[in-house]
Amino acid sequence: DLSGRDDVLPLALHVGYWDYIGWADTFADPRFMRRQKGYAKAAGERMIYTPQIIVGGRYRIVGSHPKQLAAAIRELDAKPDAVEVEASRQGERIMIRASMAEGATAGKMLVQVVPFAPRQRVAIRSGENAGAVIDYTHIVTDWQVLGEWDGTADWQGEARMDGPVAVLVQAAGFGPILGAARVD
């Protein structure tokens, strides 16, 4: 549902810890489960679960609780980003510039690029959803840290990749997302 909104950049990180029940998620990547565990540890939680939504690196929400999700999105929309992220494409090159917003401060941050597939339809052949056809959106295909940044001067860099890409600046240690941009 979030994929059609202009004010949200949803990213679906598929995990494989349910593969044992009869169907292996072909989009799953062990790094994504480690990322989910990192968020849980940073929040002092011991459990991970699906469906889970991490909003802005700040809120952990059960995916079947749309009112909590809507409230978290509204709250983040009301706050200005601490980091202004500009990203553009020149062929395969993604040019990135990040700068601290006026009056904003932050400690160690990570500049990350996250390529994703906008939409794929999958016929489920086995497991509890056997026979279903599911349209997945914003499927994360990789997650790369381009560099660390302390915010004292603008950060500039580039990445090489095809297709849509999210550029995220996040406080280190699975902290909040401080700024983001999308490049198609």
Side-chain angles (χ1 to χ4, degrees):
D1 291 341
L2 297 174
S3 67
R5 293 181 57 165
D6 292 334
D7 63 332
V8 175
L9 177 52
L11 297 170
L13 284 81
H14 291 242
V15 294
Y17 50 81
W18 293 112
D19 288 357
Y20 74 92
I21 61 174
W23 175 74
D25 187 337
T26 57
F27 303 126
D29 187 313
R31 294 175 300 163
F32 303 157
M33 183 176 65
R34 287 192 298 273
R35 186 164 182 81
Q36 186 182 27
K37 286 181 177 182
Y39 274 116
K41 184 177 179 183
E45 298 172 351
R46 296 167 50 103
M47 277 184 46
I48 58 173
Y49 54 88
T50 61
Q52 181 181 38
I53 301 175
I54 309 291
V55 182
R58 299 172 197 248
Y59 305 102
R60 289 138 190 87
I61 298 170
V62 176
S64 59
H65 294 161
K67 289 181 182 178
Q68 290 177 357
L69 176 60
I73 291 170
R74 275 193 309 277
E75 186 171 323
L76 288 178
D77 275 348
K79 299 176 184 178
D81 287 343
V83 174
E84 297 169 0
V85 180
E86 298 172 18
S88 62
R89 178 184 295 282
Q90 293 178 354
E92 288 184 354
R93 292 174 57 205
I94 309 294
M95 314 303 279
I96 303 163
R97 181 173 176 267
S99 56
M100 295 302 297
E102 189 173 328
T105 59
K108 182 177 156 185
M109 297 171 277
L110 302 176
V111 179
Q112 304 163 103
V113 291
V114 184
F116 62 93
R119 180 175 301 276
Q120 284 200 337
R121 177 168 282 181
V122 177
I124 310 299
R125 305 213 186 283
S126 59
E128 67 182 351
N129 292 320
V133 176
I134 299 176
D135 288 324
Y136 292 106
T137 64
H138 292 80
I139 307 153
V140 172
T141 57
D142 194 9
W143 195 291
Q144 297 178 20
V145 175
L146 291 182
E148 294 181 2
W149 179 45
D150 66 5
T152 57
D154 287 0
W155 188 95
Q156 292 187 11
E158 68 177 70
R160 289 190 168 278
M161 49 191 59
D162 288 327
V165 175
V167 178
L168 307 175
V169 176
Q170 182 173 22
F174 298 97
I177 304 293
L178 303 170
R182 176 183 171 152
V183 179
D184 288 311

